[in-house]
Amino acid sequence: MEERWLRRFRDDDECGTKIICFPHAGGWSNAYRTWPLGLPSDIGVLAVRYPGREDRLGDPFPSGLEALADDITDALGELTRYRLVLFGHSMGASVAHEVALRLRERGCAPAALCVSGRRPPHALAGQRQFFGTDEEIIADVVRFDATRAPVFADPGLREILLPAFRADYRLVDDYPGGSRPPLDCPVYGYTGDSDPEVTPEQMRGWADMTNAAFRLRVLPGGHFYLRAEEEALLADMRDALGHLEYRTKAAS
């Protein structure tokens, strides 16, 4: 199960800390393939493979976002004996948060949660609905990510990619959000300063999701700021991970 759900970009016995990355709606795990280049060699980088895409095209889409979080939590299995840091962008932030809650319930809470470009669950009310016709979904995707336009112009690629976007948009629309018990690990928030989906003030609402520290970093760019600002994002995460390691050693 672990191998089906996770792609390992760097992972060996020397990696005492492992970052588990959660893609955005319609996203693939390879969005994080370059991250090992910007992080220390003793930090593992793994990304979640959502069903219905990549080499899981034949797997059924999840019935809901929380059901998806259940399956991912089960798949983490033996990895929970390591220091886990969860990073999720957009829809992936909600999935990562739900997984963090489940890990805590099982007595293996993550060391930190990193959320990017997504409102906290208690601030989702009134958010626009994403789901629509195929043409509306494509227009919405291209509005945020113009690099997708040539892909959707190809009938073959469109047939492969569109079902995942359609399924994920429904997950986002159906996710109720609402109040959640606070985590005990630090939460680090990231967003673009011109993201039309979430404001920095809304991102600060993630502070309510933890009893521990919260920090927000606002970087230049829109909803997919993390592509152009990958170096700055990973530099900030290196700093955050360094503090985590220091606290772990001080406590031991």
Side-chain angles (χ1 to χ4, degrees), residues 221-244:
H223 192 59
F224 288 103
Y225 74 92
L226 66 174
R227 293 176 181 165
E229 296 296 323
E230 181 174 304
E231 183 177 350
L233 171 62
L234 295 182
D236 191 87
M237 289 184 67
R238 285 197 305 271
D239 179 64
L241 293 174
H243 287 297
L244 285 178

Side-chain angles (χ1 to χ4, degrees), residues 178-192:
S179 62
R180 294 291 189 274
L183 298 166
D184 296 317
C185 66
V187 174
Y188 300 98
Y190 299 94
T191 192

Side-chain angles (χ1 to χ4, degrees), residues 4-9 19-33 35 45-56 62 65 68-69 72 76 85-99 113-118 145 148 161 164-165 167-169 171-172 223-227 233:
R4 188 169 84 251
W5 280 92
L6 296 171
R7 171 156 291 159
R8 301 168 187 271
F9 294 113
I19 299 177
I20 311 296
C21 304
F22 295 73
H24 59 277
W28 291 23
S29 61
N30 69 1
Y32 299 99
R33 67 189 181 280
W35 277 34
V45 179
L46 302 86
V48 176
R49 294 167 163 164
Y50 296 147
R53 68 212 73 192
E54 299 181 87
D55 50 1
R56 299 190 63 189
L65 191 146
L68 175 61
I72 295 170
L76 291 177
V85 174
L86 311 185
F87 176 94
H89 177 64
S90 196
M91 179 190 85
S94 290
V95 182
H97 179 227
E98 290 289 344
V99 170
L113 171 67
C114 302
V115 288
S116 168
R118 177 73 164 157
D145 185 4
R148 296 283 188 174
L161 295 177
F165 279 99
D168 288 356
Y169 272 34
L171 290 185
V172 172
H223 192 59
F224 288 103
Y225 74 92
L226 66 174
R227 293 176 181 165
L233 171 62

Side-chain angles (χ1 to χ4, degrees), residues 192-206:
D193 60 4
S194 57
D195 187 341
E197 289 301 308
V198 59
T199 65
E201 189 57 38
Q202 288 168 331
M203 283 297 300
R204 289 188 183 94
W206 282 101

